[in-house]
Amino acid sequence: MVPFRKYPRNLTMSTTALPHSEVIPVLDFGSQYAQLIARRVREAGAFSVLVAPDTPIEKLRELNPKGIILSGGPSSVYEEGAPRCDPKLLELDVPILGICYGMQIACQLLGADVRQARHREYGRAQAHITDHSDLLANLPDDTTVWMSHGDQVADADEHFDVLATTPTCPYAAVRHKTRKFFGVQFHPEVTHTPHGVDVLHNFLYQICGCTDTWRMSDFMEKQVTEIRAAVGSDRVVCGLSGGVDSSVVAALLAKAIGKQLTCIFVDNGLLRKNERSLVETTFRDHFDIDLRVIDAEAQFLGDLEGIVDPQEKRRRIGHRFIDVFKEASADLPHVKYLAQGTLYPDVIESGQSLAGTAANIKLHHNVGGLPAELGFDLIEPLRDLFKDEVRKLGEVLGLPEAMVWRHPFPGPGLAVRVMGDITKPKLDLLRDCDEILLEEIVANNLYRQTSQVFAVLTNTQAVGVMGDGRTYEAVVAIRAVTTQDFMTADWARIPYEVLAVISNRIINEVRGVNRVVYDISSKPPATIEWE
């Protein structure tokens, strides 16, 4: 994982400063869950890096891998232009696990036929285990697995042993008869496959011989080393929002380069209530850093005036952020780098993968919303991590618990929580609603039980009655989710009595709102934010 890249991202891997001898490269064929595989490997105690599918064999050898995993992907192996790996990969004397598309591409290279399935499988399926000797050791004879495929391996008996089947997939899991290759058509990395972690553990420890010794502290030391080497004597500016992501980045950079870091907090007029004073107090008291607070509300709201398209909102916010950073750092000598708290879900939702085939769901102001010519090189040390991993890193760095466990707040701020055009009165109304919501969530001990809770000002108005008069006022939506990694999420089951208090308080205390609704959508199909 490379902590700094010019934008657009240089999709090549780094083999320098690897923190551990037990490395499991994951070849990313474009799956939404490619990094989730790498994350599961790291959770299991082995170090994992995400690499491009066409990475040269020489580069893979430099990693001295204990094993290799081939991810899934949206393509069909028989289509022109589908991502492929070097066939010599399968000649390396290391175990290889192919998942979904990764299984199909490897099986095709090893002589099997891959074709469109007569019965496609999407969602849960029942697998019958026929061989418990290695990859599927200690799994029950029948287990639930998560499928997502329209193609599958066919006519492979000559080359492969069958380890598992489903009613419509005769090769749900296979082992090559002479090579160190294993394949599963299902996705062991997702929580919907209950014994998926067991499958990955079997691959790592029974087959690859890993020893469960990699920790988040290793990641921290690696990033500190790489940041120091990259920055040298230059300076870094860090966009500080007060959320956990940018706070962890700031702490990591402070550990790596000390006084060469300047943190810039931009009051863009899109913040939560009292956010500016909270950030100033927290960081001036906790960190010995150069913190600059910039009041740019007028510029941001001017850029957003009349804009209703959410992608355009994000793009304009991203561009304005860069302009503000440049202006705020103009008097600093030798500023070459801009540090950001970009996480992997941001990258995936913005349509970036090593295979170049991930779907573009939405722009993030710090990923796809940035201008092509930044004037800075980017330092993004969290780019390959999920939210819960960032929290672990924050704990390793010694950040206060209240900061580490703070709910996420999007970079574009309330601009993606106000539907339609952005105005200061709308933002002020939403700030008041959001403050009431969070007060009640905290008061009822639900803050740590939820992953993210916020209010949304919809662009819908509804008829109401207050006193003896008719009202026609705003509808506010409440969003609360639980999730481990923010790649998938479920709506939080907030007790009805708590929702009732929240609704009553918002309607009674915030002028201009006469209706509150609760969002019960999961991700997918919805995203966390409304825009």
Side-chain angles (χ1 to χ4, degrees), residues 294-357:
I294 309 299
D295 188 349
E297 179 181 38
Q299 296 95 309
F300 278 89
L301 296 190
D303 290 342
L304 294 169
E305 185 176 359
I307 303 301
V308 298
D309 179 70
Q311 296 289 68
E312 182 62 16
K313 289 180 185 178
R314 291 174 181 271
R315 190 192 69 81
R316 291 188 177 216
I317 291 169
H319 281 244
R320 177 59 67 179
F321 262 116
I322 296 304
D323 291 341
V324 171
F325 282 131
K326 286 181 179 179
E327 184 178 346
S329 60
D331 63 329
L332 293 171
H334 310 297
V335 174
K336 185 178 179 181
Y337 298 98
L338 169 65
Q340 297 189 137
T342 306
L343 304 191
Y344 192 73
D346 300 336
V347 177
I348 286 297
E349 287 193 342
S350 295
Q352 299 185 43
S353 78
L354 295 176
T357 53

Side-chain angles (χ1 to χ4, degrees), residues 133-148:
S133 60
D134 39 41
L135 184 67
L136 306 183
N138 301 314
L139 267 67
D141 291 341
D142 296 286
T143 185
T144 300
V145 296
W146 186 262
M147 291 285 197
S148 181

Side-chain angles (χ1 to χ4, degrees), residues 147-328:
M147 291 285 197
S148 181
H149 67 101
D151 300 333
Q152 65 186 32
V153 174
D155 301 327
D157 290 347
E158 179 183 351
H159 305 284
F160 295 90
D161 298 317
V162 177
L163 308 183
T165 65
T166 73
T168 60
C169 183
Y171 301 97
V174 300
R175 175 183 57 231
H176 195 267
K177 292 179 182 293
T178 60
R179 304 282 183 90
K180 294 181 179 180
F181 174 77
F182 299 80
V184 291
Q185 185 57 68
F186 57 88
H187 288 270
E189 70 274 21
V190 302
T191 55
H192 304 300
T193 300
H195 290 280
V197 171
D198 299 324
V199 174
L200 293 175
H201 272 244
N202 287 337
F203 178 70
L204 294 172
Y205 298 109
Q206 290 201 26
I207 297 171
C208 297
C210 295
T211 56
D212 186 18
T213 55
W214 185 79
R215 297 292 181 266
M216 183 56 73
S217 56
D218 298 320
F219 176 88
M220 179 189 70
E221 294 300 335
K222 171 183 177 285
Q223 293 299 322
V224 166
T225 299
E226 289 196 355
I227 290 168
R228 284 175 181 162
V231 172
S233 61
D234 293 314
R235 293 191 64 87
V236 178
V237 291
C238 176
L240 184 60
S241 69
V244 61
D245 303 335
S246 64
S247 299
V248 170
V249 168
L252 185 62
L253 286 164
K255 181 178 180 65
I257 58 173
K259 297 295 186 180
Q260 294 169 249
L261 170 67
T262 295
C263 287
I264 299 175
F265 176 76
V266 178
D267 183 352
N268 56 11
L270 305 170
L271 304 174
R272 290 170 286 200
K273 200 167 186 176
N274 301 320
E275 184 83 3
R276 176 172 174 170
S277 60
L278 174 64
V279 169
E280 285 193 87
T281 301
T282 300
F283 279 87
R284 293 200 193 281
D285 292 347
H286 191 78
F287 294 106
D288 182 22
I289 60 174
D290 177 21
L291 174 62
R292 301 186 175 190
V293 178
I294 309 299
D295 188 349
E297 179 181 38
Q299 296 95 309
F300 278 89
L301 296 190
D303 290 342
L304 294 169
E305 185 176 359
I307 303 301
V308 298
D309 179 70
Q311 296 289 68
E312 182 62 16
K313 289 180 185 178
R314 291 174 181 271
R315 190 192 69 81
R316 291 188 177 216
I317 291 169
H319 281 244
R320 177 59 67 179
F321 262 116
I322 296 304
D323 291 341
V324 171
F325 282 131
K326 286 181 179 179
E327 184 178 346

Side-chain angles (χ1 to χ4, degrees), residues 37-145:
I37 302 169
R39 177 265 184 84
R40 296 289 185 231
V41 172
R42 294 198 294 264
E43 285 180 340
F47 183 68
S48 185
V49 290
L50 207 66
V51 301
D54 57 354
T55 298
I57 296 300
E58 295 74 21
K59 291 290 185 182
L60 288 174
R61 284 200 180 99
E62 289 177 17
L63 290 170
N64 193 26
K66 293 285 287 187
I68 297 172
I69 298 178
L70 313 180
S71 86
S75 303
S76 293
V77 298
Y78 46 77
E79 290 179 348
E80 184 178 354
R84 305 187 71 81
C85 58
D86 189 330
K88 293 180 181 178
L89 173 74
L90 298 164
E91 298 175 8
L92 293 175
D93 190 29
V94 296
I96 297 174
L97 173 63
I99 296 175
C100 196
Y101 181 91
M103 170 186 174
Q104 294 167 12
I105 191 69
C107 286
Q108 184 187 62
L109 291 171
L110 290 169
D113 184 24
V114 178
R115 63 183 69 161
Q116 189 175 61
R118 183 171 299 177
H119 300 282
R120 298 183 297 173
E121 287 182 304
Y122 293 98
R124 289 179 175 86
Q126 286 300 118
H128 177 66
I129 310 302
T130 58
D131 187 327
H132 295 270
S133 60
D134 39 41
L135 184 67
L136 306 183
N138 301 314
L139 267 67
D141 291 341
D142 296 286
T143 185
T144 300
V145 296

